[in-house]
């Protein structure tokens, strides 16, 4: 069956450390993978997109990797801050031209001051 | 641009009533998506439109749900009759490239 898995338990880290969130999928072949941030009571906000032929993408303190062999994406936030506390969602963006996304359930990140 | 606009932000209704959720996408975006988010099921795609035409409604849970997009700047999601299990946050999103822009959502409570 098709699955997208993100850590269901919250990730609790100290300010200044690097947060690493995982997104694993099975029986999908995405052309792209996207990461979103969601704060309580708000809609998801787009952060980064990585293509299947890209190994790594960076934006400021954010880094995403995409391994199509392992069927896994890792999302890193370096020098984490309490303001980074939120739920982070990965989304598979398929090879068709539909722009339809399939979202994981999200991982909640808590950054302690 | 004001971003994706949704109304109402909160809706409380009684079982059996009709509910209409509204969405105004970002101007120039060709795709519009309706999602539902619950703790149990996460963020689920209900239906999406391309150039005002419904493309895929396979996520619509039942015939009680319907969606329309009469023009490029307006879409509705209707539930008739509503049931308590429809309680969720409903999001509208639009895109012109790949990344999606979400509205603030409508929190629906069906008593």
């Amino acid at each position: 069956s098709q699955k997208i898995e993100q850590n269901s338990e919250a990730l609790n880290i100290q300010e200044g450390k690097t947060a690493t969130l995982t997104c694993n999928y099975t029986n999908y072949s995405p052309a792209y993978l996207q990461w979103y941030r969601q704060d309580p009571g708000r809609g998801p906000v787009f952060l980064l997109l990585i293509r299947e032929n890209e190994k790594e993408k960076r934006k400021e303190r954010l880094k995403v990797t995409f391994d199509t062999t392992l069927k896994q994406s890792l999302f890193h936030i370096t020098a984490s801050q309490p303001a980074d506390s939120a739920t982070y969602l990965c989304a598979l963006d398929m090879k068709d031209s539909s722009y339809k996304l399939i979202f994981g359930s999200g991982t909640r990140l808590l950054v302690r001051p | 641009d004001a971003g994706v606009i949704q109304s109402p932000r909160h809706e409380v209704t009684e079982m059996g009533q009709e509910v209409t959720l509204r969405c105004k996408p970002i101007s120039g975006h060709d795709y519009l998506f309706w999602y539902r988010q619950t703790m149990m099921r996460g963020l689920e795609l209900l239906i999406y439109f391309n150039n005002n035409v419904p493309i895929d409604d396979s996520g619509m849970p039942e015939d009680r749900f319907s969606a329309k997009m009469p023009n490029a700047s307006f879409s509705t999601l209707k539930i008739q009759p509503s049931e308590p299990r429809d309680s969720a946050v409903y999001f509208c999103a639009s895109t012109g490239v790949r990344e999606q822009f979400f509205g603030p959502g409508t929190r629906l409570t069906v008593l």
Side-chain angles (χ1 to χ4, degrees), chain A residues 36 38 43 93 98-100, chain B residues 37 45 48 56 97-98 100:
Chain A
Y36 288 76
Q38 187 173 24
D93 188 349
S98 70
Y99 292 178
K100 187 168 74 171
Chain B
Q37 188 173 41
L45 177 65
Y48 77 95
D56 183 350
V97 185
R98 295 215 85 87
Q100 295 187 10

Side-chain angles (χ1 to χ4, degrees), chain B residues 10 24 29 42 53 55 62 67 75 80 85-86 95 103-104 108:
Chain B
H10 302 273
K24 176 178 167 54
H29 282 186
V53 176
I55 302 300
E62 308 173 23
S75 178
Q80 165 65 14
R85 60 192 166 124
D86 301 331
T95 186
L108 174 65

Side-chain angles (χ1 to χ4, degrees), chain A residues 29-74:
Chain A
S29 297
Y32 310 83
L33 195 142
Q34 300 187 29
W35 284 88
Y36 288 76
R37 167 182 173 143
Q38 187 173 24
D39 291 286
R42 293 178 177 269
V45 175
F46 170 78
L47 296 175
L48 279 169
L49 176 151
I50 186 166
R51 293 172 170 75
E52 62 178 336
N53 59 356
E54 294 179 310
K55 295 295 183 186
E56 182 180 297
K57 196 83 168 278
R58 291 176 184 260
K59 179 182 176 183
E60 298 173 351
R61 295 185 296 112
L62 308 180
K63 185 178 84 171
V64 173
T65 63
F66 190 12
D67 189 325
T68 55
T69 301
L70 290 179
K71 295 187 182 296
Q72 180 182 76
S73 175
L74 299 179

